[in-house]
Amino acid sequence: MKRTSMKFTPEGGSIAIRMKYPAAGRVSIEVQDNGIGIEEGQLESIFERFYKSDASRNRSIQGNGWG
């Protein structure tokens, strides 16, 4: 299964994954790509189960939300 960053980043694009340790026992993971993006007004919804932004509602791209 393709993951979201790979699915929405054009061929030849870039994906960066960073791990940080902000405090003992905690890990922060950042994923940055140059894909189609998410509009700022939709960012608060991205962790809802099966959420898809309007820009990703393309029948040629299969999936049920991020991940």
Side-chain angles (χ1 to χ4, degrees):
M1 172 195 324
K2 280 190 167 185
R3 296 293 180 214
T4 304
S5 284
M6 293 173 64
K7 185 188 291 187
F8 294 108
T9 297
E11 190 169 329
S14 64
I15 300 171
I17 300 171
R18 295 178 198 84
M19 275 179 55
K20 297 180 180 182
Y21 301 93
R26 294 187 173 267
V27 176
S28 172
I29 299 174
E30 298 176 1
V31 179
Q32 180 179 7
D33 61 44
N34 62 347
I36 62 173
I38 298 172
E39 293 180 23
E40 187 173 338
Q42 297 177 341
L43 288 175
E44 63 189 41
S45 301
I46 64 170
F47 293 105
E48 293 175 17
R49 189 172 182 186
F50 304 120
Y51 177 78
K52 290 182 85 171
S53 69
D54 287 336
S56 68
R57 294 187 190 278
N58 180 337
R59 292 194 183 268
S60 67
I61 301 173
Q62 299 296 311
N64 294 318
W66 76 282

